[in-house]
Amino acid sequence: MIEDALGDRSLVVVSNREPYVHEYADGEPAVQRPAGGLVTALDGVVAETGGTWVAWGSGDADFDPAVAPEGEVRMPPEARANSADDRPGYTLARLDLPRRLVENYYYGYSNQVLWPICHLEADPVTVDAKFWPAYREANRRFAERAVAADPDVVWFQDYHLGLAPRFVREQRPDARLVQFWHVPWPTPEFFEICPQATELLRGLLGNDAVGFHLERYADNFRDCVARFVPDAEVTDAGIRYDGRLVETYASPIGVDTERVADNARSDAAAHYWERVVDRYDLDPERPVVLGVDRLDYTKGVVERLDALAHLLETTPELAGEFTYVQKGTRTREGIPAYRRYYDAVRDRIAELDRVHGTEDWTPALYIEDDVDDRELAGLYRNADVAVVSSRRDGMNLVAKEFVAAQGRPFPNAGLAQTEGLDNPARDRAPGALVLSRFVGAAESLCPAALPVNPYDVSAFAETIRDALEMGEPERHDRMASLQASVRGEDIDAWLATQLDVLAGRERVVAADDD
Ligand code: ADQ
């Protein structure tokens, strides 16, 4: 697929995060494999082209002389440099960024200015005079390293790299540059609070194409260009800027549905769930409501816990009838708003348990285990209800992974028949999904997923109750529809579109069946 798309053109992928991290374990550098479908999928693409992946080297052993003194290492780990066999591989080019730069470009501009603005959150926006120069400097370094790889095609990932395309364009007017923006793009009325609105847009217009999950985000981007870049002309064919035509496109990201379904059926998934049941003394007959989130204020975890508290206050007969399991991951802890958010989540969970808990029942659990994909799938498959309640989210892959993990066909015979294992996963109906209207995934998953406005506490509480009370036939019907959507927009479909765009090929848009 990749060879067809790019031929012998060389590809350079640029992202803030690296696909493999070297960390010291017992004093020795050890490579950590990526978790999650996106990195795995991109890893496969770059490996097939034999190209270069430029990223910030964040691991403490990344620059160990035994690993990569100059920051360059052959990846994936199995691919040996100059190997006689033809196993694919690529060069991971790690940038050794000074701590101060990382603080101001990553924890600063990227995550205290751009992230909240893109998610329509004005309050957490914090502008420090050091942030923007650091963002420029970091982007310049990413761009320089990309140019050094002599690329024909450069593929930038996400909002940390808004200026790099322009820097690369200045040195490589002939290269094809494409960027995928993984978070929403706000309306001009909101984007104008960004002090560097115009410069940032000019940076992105260094690309030949800029991709978003939804058409709506691409429309917002074009509206922002029309408003803030006076010398750009927004036309139906694209944006005319600097003598070039910049295309925008929408391409909803998805998950590797087979892989997630296999993970959910694995022994590791069953074992992990068994451990959770034992550790917290969960009653196997009591339904589980699940939340899986990075503890980011955009994810609406606090709103969800408030809705659960409201539900128990207004419907006391539900006491003891379910357990809420919050799988959390701490994130961006260098930023005060994130540390406060973590505390707020923990406090609310403690409060729920204090106010509503009894000797036989703990209403809410918090799990912070470092889980792999299979263990995570074990949580998904054993939940009766999953709640994704982001205040705003570009797409949200947790919702899609939950759907894919419910397996097929139903009822899930595979789980019950896992050999040699007293598998605690019940042979039962699939879980129900409660989904915020404000995530990109809602466009394809609602109304088969029960839609909620996370700000509407009483309606949210009622929807959780509806999901808990949903009968088996309805669970099957809804899940069949959700699975069709998730399979139709999976990671392969997303990658195929990206490859077409990277290659500059005409894309064939599938005709609607009806
Ligand atoms: P994120 O904000 O990180 O991604 P999301 O898409 O929900 O949000 O999750 C990404 C991955 O993290 C998923 O594969 C999930 O399995 C994993 N994950 C999340 N919480 C976890 C937890 N507590 N424990 C273990 N794993 C966890 C950004 C955008 C999204 C967009 C993606 C991809 O914010 O809107 O869907 O990029 O484009």
Side-chain angles (χ1 to χ4, degrees):
M1 178 159 88
I2 293 141
E3 270 175 19
D4 293 350
L6 297 182
D8 56 7
R9 284 185 285 175
S10 64
L11 174 69
V12 173
V13 167
V14 190
S15 66
N16 172 66
R17 282 265 170 230
E18 51 183 342
Y20 294 90
V21 185
H22 279 91
E23 299 277 3
Y24 288 111
D26 300 325
E28 290 298 316
V31 68
Q32 291 181 3
R33 295 191 150 270
L38 174 60
V39 178
T40 310
L42 295 188
D43 195 50
V45 170
V46 196
E48 267 193 58
T49 65
T52 301
W53 189 325
V54 180
W56 161 42
S58 59
D60 58 13
D62 273 354
F63 299 93
D64 184 291
V67 177
E70 304 301 323
E72 286 193 14
V73 60
R74 192 85 182 144
M75 284 296 173
E78 313 75 62
R80 282 172 281 135
N82 307 317
S83 64
D85 63 34
D86 58 0
R87 271 186 292 180
Y90 62 90
T91 303
L92 173 59
R94 288 167 165 159
L95 293 183
D96 192 3
L97 301 177
R99 228 179 85 183
R100 280 256 304 284
L101 190 63
V102 171
E103 269 164 24
N104 289 307
Y105 125 85
Y106 176 71
Y107 293 105
Y109 200 79
S110 299
N111 286 318
Q112 292 189 72
V113 181
L114 283 180
W115 173 269
I117 288 178
C118 287
H119 289 87
L120 308 185
E121 298 271 1
D123 261 12
V125 174
T126 306
V127 179
D128 181 301
K130 293 190 289 299
F131 290 173
W132 177 248
Y135 188 80
R136 277 183 70 90
E137 173 59 19
N139 270 257
R140 192 176 287 287
R141 292 190 189 201
F142 277 103
E144 270 168 14
R145 187 61 193 82
V147 169
D150 194 21
D152 298 309
V153 181
V154 185
W155 187 15
F156 299 97
Q157 301 294 322
D158 231 350
Y159 62 98
H160 317 87
L161 299 166
L163 296 179
R166 180 166 183 197
F167 295 144
V168 173
R169 175 67 63 205
E170 282 164 7
Q171 297 181 54
R172 287 296 305 271
D174 57 314
R176 182 158 176 84
L177 311 184
V178 176
Q179 186 143 11
F180 196 84
W181 194 263
H182 289 263
V183 294
W185 191 281
T187 59
E189 286 66 35
F190 205 90
F191 188 61
E192 70 184 344
I193 68 176
C194 177
Q196 293 79 22
T198 303
E199 286 147 286
L200 198 81
L201 288 165
R202 287 190 195 285
L204 286 166
L205 291 174
N207 286 296
D208 294 289
V210 187
F212 301 89
H213 292 306
L214 304 183
E215 201 57 66
R216 189 149 47 90
Y217 307 153
D219 286 346
N220 288 346
F221 177 77
R222 285 191 292 267
D223 290 348
C224 285
V225 171
R227 176 104 157 247
F228 303 115
V229 188
D231 49 327
E233 189 196 347
V234 179
T235 72
D236 286 347
I239 301 164
R240 292 191 193 287
Y241 177 74
D242 201 20
R244 293 174 297 109
L245 191 67
V246 183
E247 182 197 359
T248 57
Y249 66 100
S251 170
I253 201 165
V255 299
D256 183 339
T257 52
E258 294 301 327
R259 183 179 138 137
V260 177
D262 285 350
N263 285 342
R265 275 193 293 269
S266 68
D267 285 358
H271 278 307
Y272 180 65
W273 180 247
E274 218 171 41
R275 286 210 304 279
V276 170
V277 168
D278 281 352
R279 199 193 311 161
Y280 297 100
D281 201 16
L282 287 181
D283 177 351
E285 295 310 313
R286 193 176 267 148
V288 168
V289 179
L290 176 71
V292 173
D293 311 82
R294 274 193 310 107
L295 295 185
D296 190 301
Y297 51 83
T298 60
K299 301 294 180 186
V301 184
V302 161
E303 287 76 0
R304 189 185 314 152
L305 292 166
D306 287 349
L308 285 165
H310 186 80
L311 180 64
L312 290 171
E313 278 152 26
T314 53
T315 326
E317 59 274 23
L318 276 180
E321 295 299 316
F322 68 91
T323 304
Y324 177 67
V325 175
Q326 174 67 54
K327 169 70 185 74
T329 303
R330 298 195 208 196
T331 180
R332 302 176 193 168
E333 290 184 282
I335 300 173
Y338 284 80
R339 294 198 294 272
R340 286 197 297 274
Y341 197 69
Y342 174 77
D343 290 343
V345 168
R346 297 305 303 263
D347 286 353
R348 274 177 168 76
I349 289 177
E351 178 80 354
L352 259 178
D353 291 343
R354 192 181 60 75
V355 174
H356 298 283
T358 62
E359 220 167 80
D360 314 318
W361 179 52
T362 306
L365 305 177
Y366 179 77
I367 304 180
E368 207 176 81
D369 298 346
D370 205 359
V371 294
D372 66 22
D373 291 354
R374 290 177 307 170
E375 293 167 332
L376 184 60
L379 292 181
Y380 289 141
R381 184 58 190 98
N382 285 282
D384 297 84
V385 175
V387 188
V388 170
S389 52
S390 310
R391 292 156 65 103
R392 197 65 62 176
D393 217 326
M395 176 53 61
N396 192 284
L397 294 180
V398 168
K400 295 191 172 188
E401 288 166 5
F402 172 73
V403 169
Q406 302 310 300
R408 63 177 166 145
F410 299 123
N412 195 325
L415 261 179
Q417 288 165 10
T418 304
E419 264 182 39
L421 189 71
D422 179 19
N423 195 324
R426 287 155 283 173
D427 181 14
R428 57 167 166 72
L433 177 61
V434 174
L435 185 61
S436 162
R437 298 175 190 281
F438 309 137
V439 308
E443 206 161 86
S444 60
L445 300 187
C446 291
L450 300 181
V452 285
N453 171 355
Y455 297 86
D456 184 347
V457 69
S458 50
F460 190 174
E462 267 173 41
T463 308
I464 295 174
R465 195 188 59 204
D466 291 346
L468 274 166
E469 290 172 354
M470 193 186 288
E472 253 192 57
E474 186 177 349
R475 283 170 179 266
H476 284 283
D477 286 353
R478 286 180 181 269
M479 189 48 69
S481 158
L482 290 169
Q483 294 217 326
S485 307
V486 168
R487 277 199 296 272
E489 290 181 348
D490 67 359
I491 190 72
D492 288 340
W494 182 79
L495 267 182
T497 304
Q498 308 316 306
L499 288 172
D500 283 345
V501 177
L502 289 167
R505 275 199 306 228
E506 265 309 291
R507 292 196 306 287
V508 182
V509 179
D512 215 328
D513 282 342
D514 18 67

